[in-house]
């Protein structure tokens, strides 16, 4: 199986901290577990487009502002 040639880096923790929001509060708003938010912040989980969109809406930013995308 080919390794994915793209990577992303999450800035969720930056936006969450600026709103003084806990991981649990964000998780509750978007309907996932706190562990999912934690894994996203550590760049260990690739979110679905719907989840990425939901999180972006919470912070009133675009998906591109929430995640830095690049090639490996």
């Amino acid at each position: 199986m080919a390794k994915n040639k793209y990577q992303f880096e999450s800035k969720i923790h930056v936006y969450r901290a600026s709103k003084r929001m806990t991981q649990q509060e964000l998780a509750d708003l978007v309907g996932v577990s706190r562990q999912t938010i934690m894994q996203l912040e550590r760049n260990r989980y690739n979110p679905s487009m719907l989840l990425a969109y939901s999180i972006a809406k919470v912070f009133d930013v675009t998906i591109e502002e929430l995640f830095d995308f690049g090639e490996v």
Side-chain angles (χ1 to χ4, degrees), residues 1 4 8 23 32 35-36 39 41-42 52 54-55 68:
M1 184 184 331
N4 194 341
F8 74 95
Q23 288 177 337
V32 298
Q35 288 79 10
T36 298
Q39 294 301 318
E41 290 184 354
R42 293 180 178 175
S54 295
I55 295 170
D68 284 330

Side-chain angles (χ1 to χ4, degrees), residues 3 6-7 14-15 17 24 26 38-39 46 50 60 69:
K3 186 176 181 188
Y6 301 105
Q7 65 182 6
V14 174
Y15 287 101
Q24 187 64 58
L26 178 57
M38 182 178 64
Q39 294 301 318
N46 186 2
L50 288 174
D60 196 28
F69 295 94

Side-chain angles (χ1 to χ4, degrees), residues 55-70:
I55 295 170
K57 292 296 279 182
V58 167
F59 298 121
D60 196 28
V61 298
T62 65
I63 292 172
E64 290 82 3
E65 290 172 296
L66 195 59
F67 298 97
D68 284 330
F69 295 94

